[in-house]
Amino acid sequence: MVLTAFRPTRDIQSETPGFLPVSVTLEHFEHAVAADGFWTFWGNSLLVTAGCVLLALVVALAAAFAVARMRWRGRRAFLLMVFVAQMAPWEALLIPMYVIARDAGLLDRLVTLSLVYFMITLPFTVVTLRSFLASVPAELEEAAQVDGCTRAAAFRRVTLPLLAPGLLATSLFGFITAWNEFAFANMLIIKNQDDRTLPVWLSSFSNVFGTDWGATMAASTLFALPVLVLFLVLQGRVAAGMTGGAVKG
């Protein structure tokens, strides 16, 4: 994808293609950035993804705290339902979610996409944060309460900073899932084309002469860049969060 983005059009359509480009051009990136709607759809993807991640973190953190720190009837059944929801294939939800959104008048809205992505990422977020929260000794919060903190303040000042790797790991998972998702975005945004996300726009990126593969690959490279940069910046904490959530508790 990256090599094609930098390859001149004559080399892309050559009868004897080579792996490395003979010459390099930025023409495709200029075409992709200047294309109608690129920045609008890029912003839509960012808005939907940010809403999904923030909402999933808030709800999952509350659910994980209730499961890991409290004892209540139905706790094991709740965890079982979360695991079952995590195992369910997303494709099985396409038709039901379309019918629900249609009947509720929620088609062609970015908030609907955020809620759908939130629903998809929530089970994984709850499971991961629950395991990570269980690895933090409850005695730390109790000691803070003895020193005068309320339960909420003890959690915010003592436990929450220790959960940073787990929060980053789950945030990155939710970001990648929502940022790359195509099927729901293509199905739930029908009439209002200005609310499309970047994956849907990329699928229709063509001109009167057919698909512009160079510009498509350039736009795809720009689309993948935020996830790559985010992962490279957070990779250390993400690895700690994933391993901590997987083997502790």
Side-chain angles (χ1 to χ4, degrees), residues 155-208:
F155 177 81
R156 178 172 54 85
R157 295 182 179 182
V158 178
T159 306
L160 193 59
L162 298 176
L163 294 178
L167 292 173
L168 290 175
T170 53
S171 298
L172 185 59
F173 169 81
F175 186 92
I176 294 175
T177 300
W179 186 259
N180 293 331
E181 205 283 324
F182 171 81
F184 282 102
N186 187 49
M187 181 186 65
L188 297 177
I189 305 297
I190 303 174
K191 297 179 180 179
N192 191 1
Q193 297 298 304
D194 289 339
D195 283 342
R196 290 183 297 173
T197 56
L198 206 53
V200 179
W201 177 78
L202 284 173
S203 69
S204 60
F205 191 52
S206 59
N207 53 33
V208 293

Side-chain angles (χ1 to χ4, degrees), residues 24-249:
V24 175
T25 180
L26 296 177
E27 178 184 358
H28 301 312
F29 287 95
E30 296 173 357
H31 186 191
V33 171
D36 185 28
F38 175 81
W39 292 111
T40 298
F41 302 133
W42 198 92
N44 290 344
S45 292
L46 185 61
L47 181 64
V48 168
T49 301
C52 158
V53 171
L54 291 177
L55 187 59
L57 283 181
V58 172
V59 175
L61 188 59
F65 181 85
V67 173
R69 289 286 192 264
M70 300 178 181
R71 297 294 178 266
W72 40 278
R73 182 172 298 181
R75 185 172 64 94
R76 293 184 180 275
F78 173 78
L79 272 178
L80 179 61
M81 288 191 297
V82 172
F83 278 110
V84 171
Q86 185 177 355
M87 292 185 293
W90 302 344
E91 293 80 3
L93 302 175
L94 283 170
I95 296 178
M97 287 307 305
Y98 173 80
V99 174
I100 293 174
R102 182 198 62 190
D103 295 344
L106 295 176
L107 292 176
D108 299 304
R109 296 186 182 182
L110 291 178
V111 66
T112 305
L113 281 182
S114 288
L115 292 176
V116 170
Y117 297 159
F118 156 71
M119 176 190 66
I120 291 175
T121 58
L122 184 62
F124 174 85
T125 309
V126 171
V127 171
T128 304
L129 290 183
R130 177 258 174 190
S131 300
F132 209 86
L133 187 59
S135 68
V136 178
E139 290 77 11
L140 295 178
E141 296 179 24
E142 295 172 359
Q145 289 179 264
V146 171
D147 291 338
C149 287
T150 63
R151 187 168 190 176
F155 177 81
R156 178 172 54 85
R157 295 182 179 182
V158 178
T159 306
L160 193 59
L162 298 176
L163 294 178
L167 292 173
L168 290 175
T170 53
S171 298
L172 185 59
F173 169 81
F175 186 92
I176 294 175
T177 300
W179 186 259
N180 293 331
E181 205 283 324
F182 171 81
F184 282 102
N186 187 49
M187 181 186 65
L188 297 177
I189 305 297
I190 303 174
K191 297 179 180 179
N192 191 1
Q193 297 298 304
D194 289 339
D195 283 342
R196 290 183 297 173
T197 56
L198 206 53
V200 179
W201 177 78
L202 284 173
S203 69
S204 60
F205 191 52
S206 59
N207 53 33
V208 293
F209 302 104
T211 302
D212 187 344
W213 290 112
T216 300
M217 293 299 109
S220 300
T221 301
L222 295 175
F223 174 67
L225 195 59
V227 175
L228 179 62
V229 172
L230 188 63
F231 182 81
L232 291 177
V233 172
L234 303 179
Q235 60 178 338
R237 290 183 175 271
V238 167
M242 293 299 292
T243 53
V247 302
K248 295 183 180 181

